[in-house]
Amino acid sequence: MIMDSIFSASWIRCGADCCAGGPPESLVWSASGSGHNVTDAGFVFSKCFDCAKTVRKASLQVTALGVYQAQLNGARVGDFILAPGWTSYSKRLQYQTYDITAMLREHNQLDITVCRGWRFLGRTKERITDGFSDRAAALIAAVDIEYHDGSAQKHVTDGSWQVEESKTRYANIYNGEICDASFESQSSAPALAFEHDKSILLPQQGEKIAETQRLEARALINTPKGETVIDFGQNLTGYVEFTVRGGKGRRAVLHHAEILDKDGNFYTENLRTAKQEVVFICDGEAHRYKPSFSFQGFRYIRLTEWPGEPNPADFTAVVVHSDMKRTGYFECSDPLVNRLFENIVWGQRGNFLDIPTDCPQRDERLGWTGDAQVFFRTASYNYDVEKFFCKWLADLAADQAEDGSVPHVVPNIFDREGGSAAWGDAAVIIPWQMYLTYGNQGVLERQFDSMTKWIDFIQSRSRNFIWNKGDHFGDWLNLEKENGGKPADKRMIATAYAAYSTGLLVKAGKVLGRDMARYEQLHRNIVWAFRRKYIKKNGQVRGDTQTGCALALKFGLADNKEAVASQLEKLVKKCGHLTTGFVGTPCLLGALTENGRVKTAYDLLMRREYPSWLYPVTMGATTIWERWNGMFPDGTLADKGMNSFNHYAYGAVGEWLYGTVAGINPDENAPGFRHIVFQPVPDERLSFARASLETRHGLVEAGWKRENGKIIYTFTVPQGCSASVRLGGESRETGPGTFTFEQEG
Ligand code: BGC
């Protein structure tokens, strides 16, 4: 078989005939901020061909400017959802290869439907290079057939393909989908071949996007407002599959939402402009239908219109995300902590849909770098995300600006916006942590230039090693103001991150055998500058914020750790809870436990009242909330526009559950868990805890339980690996096997 025939195909698009009169008004959506209207109808590109002889092997390679779904002889080709996925399209576009051997007949018809997908989400207009406007749906594909007699045949996209409008009258990532079962296209026209860059094409690099679970309806609710609502019992990302039958022209209209409001009514305001609406227009026949070109973030659906009496058995929620392998598990004696852990996992499932998104429901769903950075370690334990992040990091590097600035979101749809501390640091922190979790230095090699460029960028924005220029998000969504304080200084956070990331770059460079003397000196200078500017004479951190203290401790910036640890503990005890935002929270518990404040750390973890990790769990949360005050105990909401109930950032506490409660930690001198550091830190409020991790070297397990006044620890070290067991201030070395240790407790 000739590989990669797609390169010999032509890009084809629909011609003016296909949308001659323009789309009906209802199908036009004004892309936010782009100031132009675009049609979101789907187009079907078709090709008929014969196979005169017996086929030995056949494949289809395809990608689109948009998202596509292929059908051969009426049957779906492959099971990739929302192919070709989302990359920095103008530089990198994945194509997929499907084995179609068993699907071929003597006479064949290949239909490939293309909808807009993630294209044109941006503020800048992307244009297909021949100047044909934004209405074009475009495609490139190749069918390769090998016959038993050794001969071969190839069908590539060219002007011989036909194109027509599809029954998908509208599909939009944020707004949903309209399918008209009764629609028959009146005008089929030849596709137009056009010039478009083929050097952007690359074979599938990330995980495929897949349907991974199906959930039945839990309840049918009639709300006080009189709405008919179905509850699936879990906030998730995907779509609803349903059976519907109605007279020609009757409509089924579904809206999707994450929560009910305080009165029990369907609530959509936090979706902002995203409609999350699915419309099915009936043709008189019964249909089993699910959207193919959009996804929604939801737990509830409202049947805004429905032909006849709804039966909950006719509705199934389909969970969709990147097809990652589950690798990590955690469990302890507290059911609320266990639900918190489940919520972290669901948060990852809901937001790892080809790229790591901030949230899956409102009009964002973007690859926010900061969110991905803080959550990465937890994510890399829960699931094998190596492939997923290799793809995303390649996009990050591709979208990085000349001057090294990293965009706020990857793929970058914000044009020039970028360069925030803690967000852009994803460029350095994620490759390094990926190396620690999976032990593969390839990622450091591939990303090293990007990592270095980011550190150089920081210095170009610094004076005397203090990062004092540029806009930063700071400790996003922290609670300092609500508690009468002032949020951590943004430049302090930036300089702390500058020190941390520079330190990681030095380590990465050394792994790769590079001369890092210059950056080692830079690192010393930043630490020195930080101490001079942000550490007081008594050793404490200026500004008196939990975040300032947590970063100083975790990033090795505190000279006098004891002074900062007691400052942090006092700050926590003063208000009785955390006040940290996106930046401080991931470091908070580690900063406390690593500096002898174990009880205070557990107080924060186990707290059930607002604000805390468990508070949303007591409110029935099934995913991680974007903000601590997402919903108050009386059901009122702190904010309308910035209030997602599926945002994984605060789920970064997962790494502390694995690393400190259960005690599984990597060793940077033998990464990938070739050498493991077991260092559990129990608390009397738990009677047991355990975690397991399927590593590149095999299964690692750690756990402990209380029995007859003792704590019994069990650790499993895979073949070929070794471990240090650190308990009660002592450290012991072990080889492979399962070991038990006892301690008074
Ligand atoms: C996103 C965040 C993101 C932030 C930047 C928000 O709109 O949802 O998660 O990190 O903007 O501060």
Side-chain angles (χ1 to χ4, degrees):
M1 172 152 338
I2 308 156
M3 285 308 290
D4 303 315
S5 290
I6 196 166
F7 289 95
S8 61
S10 299
W11 280 100
I12 53 169
R13 60 165 166 82
C14 47
D17 293 357
C18 296
C19 41
E25 198 50 33
S26 63
L27 305 181
V28 174
W29 171 68
S30 174
S32 60
S34 64
H36 65 293
N37 286 339
V38 292
T39 168
D40 289 75
F43 290 90
V44 190
F45 295 82
S46 303
K47 172 81 185 171
C48 293
F49 58 92
D50 290 346
C51 293
K53 300 177 270 186
T54 324
V55 175
R56 204 176 71 79
K57 217 173 170 193
S59 71
L60 166 68
Q61 292 187 324
V62 54
T63 192
L65 303 181
V67 290
Y68 73 84
Q69 206 177 82
Q71 291 207 320
L72 183 55
N73 301 321
R76 171 90 196 268
V77 177
D79 54 4
F80 198 126
I81 308 296
L82 294 165
W86 195 10
T87 44
S88 300
Y89 288 139
S90 57
K91 298 152 197 150
R92 292 161 31 82
L93 177 61
Q94 298 182 123
Y95 62 86
Q96 287 74 36
T97 304
Y98 304 94
D99 184 341
I100 52 166
T101 317
M103 302 178 81
L104 287 174
R105 298 180 196 151
E106 196 182 333
H107 305 296
N108 298 283
Q109 178 166 344
L110 177 61
D111 300 306
I112 305 176
T113 307
V114 181
C115 289
R116 194 166 296 281
W118 287 283
R119 293 192 87 79
F120 309 111
L121 283 189
R123 293 178 189 168
T124 41
K125 249 196 276 186
E126 270 185 83
R127 280 189 175 275
I128 291 173
T129 45
D130 71 345
F132 182 76
S133 81
D134 316 311
R135 287 192 176 168
L139 175 76
I140 187 165
V143 174
D144 274 297
I145 305 166
E146 237 181 61
Y147 293 107
H148 264 292
D149 65 5
S151 61
Q153 213 179 355
K154 192 171 12 183
H155 303 282
V156 293
T157 40
D158 57 22
S160 72
W161 288 53
Q162 286 291 117
V163 58
E164 62 183 22
E165 282 193 47
S166 81
K167 287 183 190 298
T168 303
R169 308 303 300 135
Y170 177 96
N172 177 285
I173 291 292
Y174 296 141
N175 291 347
E177 214 152 317
I178 302 173
C179 174
D180 185 349
S182 63
F183 175 80
E184 295 298 336
S185 172
Q186 299 306 317
S187 56
S188 171
L192 299 180
F194 71 105
E195 284 299 315
H196 188 63
D197 195 0
K198 284 194 232 170
S199 70
I200 57 172
L201 298 177
L202 72 147
Q204 171 69 24
Q205 187 179 28
E207 303 284 2
K208 79 173 177 191
I209 306 167
E211 294 181 351
T212 61
Q213 196 179 341
R214 304 169 75 80
L215 298 178
E216 298 312 320
R218 280 271 188 89
L220 185 73
I221 303 167
N222 287 308
T223 70
K225 270 193 185 166
E227 305 153 309
T228 305
V229 166
I230 290 177
D231 177 8
F232 290 98
Q234 172 64 51
N235 199 10
L236 60 93
T237 302
Y239 35 73
V240 174
E241 184 177 282
F242 53 89
T243 304
V244 61
R245 177 182 208 131
K248 190 163 187 284
R250 289 291 304 276
R251 289 161 31 115
V253 181
L254 279 61
H255 285 97
H256 301 68
E258 294 185 287
I259 55 164
L260 302 180
D261 71 10
K262 63 177 177 15
D263 303 316
N265 293 314
F266 197 71
Y267 184 83
T268 55
E269 276 184 76
N270 68 328
L271 306 175
R272 307 203 298 219
T273 65
K275 282 196 195 141
Q276 295 216 119
E277 178 186 70
V278 169
V279 179
F280 185 88
I281 302 167
C282 302
D283 63 352
E285 301 291 317
H287 288 272
R288 184 79 180 158
Y289 171 78
K290 61 183 176 186
S292 300
F293 303 101
S294 64
F295 63 90
Q296 287 82 40
F298 66 100
R299 168 176 167 166
Y300 302 94
I301 53 167
R302 179 179 64 202
L303 303 181
T304 311
E305 290 177 43
W306 188 259
E309 266 307 294
N311 175 3
D314 286 338
F315 299 85
T316 305
V318 184
V319 180
V320 174
H321 52 80
S322 291
D323 205 4
M324 312 162 289
K325 184 179 171 224
R326 181 79 191 268
T327 46
Y329 295 86
F330 171 88
E331 198 192 359
C332 71
S333 56
D334 188 310
L336 292 188
V337 176
N338 291 341
R339 182 66 228 197
L340 168 68
F341 183 75
E342 282 308 302
N343 292 358
I344 294 170
V345 172
W346 271 106
Q348 182 165 357
R349 298 179 70 184
N351 283 296
F352 278 44
L353 203 160
D354 212 38
I355 62 155
T357 58
D358 55 337
C359 56
Q361 75 299 86
R362 69 175 178 229
D363 52 2
E364 288 207 58
R365 313 183 188 188
L366 303 174
W368 282 96
T369 47
D371 306 41
Q373 179 270 111
V374 297
F375 186 58
F376 180 79
R377 187 190 292 235
T378 302
S380 73
Y381 293 170
N382 288 338
Y383 284 89
D384 181 346
V385 295
E386 192 173 18
K387 225 171 140 182
F388 177 90
F389 269 100
C390 280
K391 162 182 169 284
W392 187 74
L393 286 172
D395 286 312
L396 183 150
D399 279 346
Q400 199 167 358
E402 276 288 294
D403 64 3
S405 174
V406 172
H408 295 328
V409 296
V410 172
N412 182 20
I413 62 158
F414 287 170
D415 202 11
R416 284 162 178 278
E417 291 173 31
S420 169
W423 272 251
D425 289 281
V428 173
I429 295 170
I430 294 180
W432 175 252
Q433 181 58 43
M434 191 132 119
Y435 168 69
L436 290 190
T437 303
Y438 303 120
N440 182 351
Q441 68 177 61
V443 64
L444 299 181
E445 264 151 35
R446 285 190 300 276
Q447 297 301 128
F448 193 72
D449 282 350
S450 154
M451 297 164 81
T452 311
K453 270 170 74 180
W454 172 247
I455 299 301
D456 293 345
F457 168 79
I458 295 174
Q459 281 321 297
S460 74
R461 295 289 182 276
S462 301
R463 218 171 135 227
N464 296 330
F465 309 105
I466 297 295
W467 188 352
N468 65 345
K469 285 187 213 139
D471 283 333
H472 301 288
F473 293 114
D475 194 18
W476 187 246
L477 299 181
N478 69 81
L479 293 176
E480 288 295 345
K481 273 196 195 132
E482 283 84 339
N483 283 281
K486 251 177 87 182
D489 182 82
K490 289 184 178 177
R491 289 177 181 177
M492 175 183 74
I493 292 175
T495 306
Y497 259 94
Y500 180 54
S501 287
T502 306
L504 296 187
L505 178 75
V506 169
K507 289 182 187 189
K510 287 187 173 172
V511 168
L512 299 176
R514 317 258 172 136
D515 175 8
M516 297 307 287
R518 198 180 120 218
Y519 290 98
E520 270 179 290
Q521 186 53 46
L522 175 61
H523 179 247
R524 280 193 291 271
N525 289 343
I526 304 172
V527 173
W528 172 83
F530 182 94
R531 287 179 177 164
R532 225 173 80 131
K533 193 163 168 73
Y534 297 115
I535 303 281
K536 294 187 277 190
K537 284 219 169 62
N538 64 3
Q540 298 191 336
V541 183
R542 282 192 199 286
D544 250 0
T545 59
Q546 294 180 14
T547 291
C549 296
L551 295 191
L553 288 168
K554 283 297 285 184
F555 293 172
L557 302 169
D559 234 347
N560 181 345
K561 285 192 189 178
E562 181 48 35
V564 179
S566 80
Q567 180 188 12
L568 176 56
E569 186 166 50
K570 265 198 207 118
L571 286 168
V572 171
K573 287 196 167 152
K574 198 168 105 195
C575 61
H577 57 76
L578 49 73
T579 53
T580 48
F582 274 34
V583 167
T585 304
C587 296
L588 183 61
L589 298 189
L592 287 165
T593 39
E594 285 159 25
N595 293 284
R597 267 65 182 185
V598 175
K599 183 173 174 303
T600 307
Y602 270 99
D603 287 347
L604 290 174
L605 175 75
M606 306 295 278
R607 182 181 160 91
R608 283 152 165 70
E609 301 77 29
Y610 164 77
S612 65
W613 279 283
L614 295 186
Y615 165 68
V617 178
T618 68
M619 294 291 288
T622 58
T623 37
I624 301 295
W625 293 356
E626 176 176 25
R627 35 193 328 138
W628 299 118
N629 55 9
M631 187 188 283
F632 292 113
D634 66 358
T636 54
L637 305 180
D639 198 271
K640 282 181 189 163
M642 191 64 80
N643 204 351
S644 142
F645 292 89
N646 196 356
H647 234 77
Y648 53 59
Y650 291 148
V653 70
E655 70 179 67
W656 192 79
L657 300 177
Y658 282 107
T660 304
V661 180
I664 301 177
N665 298 283
D667 176 351
E668 61 185 49
N669 297 314
F673 295 92
R674 202 156 43 77
H675 184 259
I676 307 142
V677 178
F678 290 119
Q679 195 167 5
V681 184
D683 178 81
E684 60 191 17
R685 282 160 281 187
L686 296 179
S687 61
F688 78 87
R690 56 176 166 253
S692 67
L693 213 53
E694 185 62 51
T695 72
R696 290 284 179 269
H697 300 281
L699 187 68
V700 173
E701 290 173 301
W704 52 267
K705 59 181 178 190
R706 295 177 186 280
E707 234 172 60
N708 307 324
K710 292 206 161 107
I711 305 180
I712 300 166
Y713 297 90
T714 311
F715 303 110
T716 301
V717 181
Q719 281 307 317
C721 298
S722 60
S724 305
V725 177
R726 298 191 185 150
L727 294 172
E730 281 174 34
S731 186
R732 275 185 253 183
E733 297 304 303
T734 71
T738 295
F739 307 93
T740 302
F741 298 83
E742 278 186 18
Q743 212 185 33
E744 297 301 317

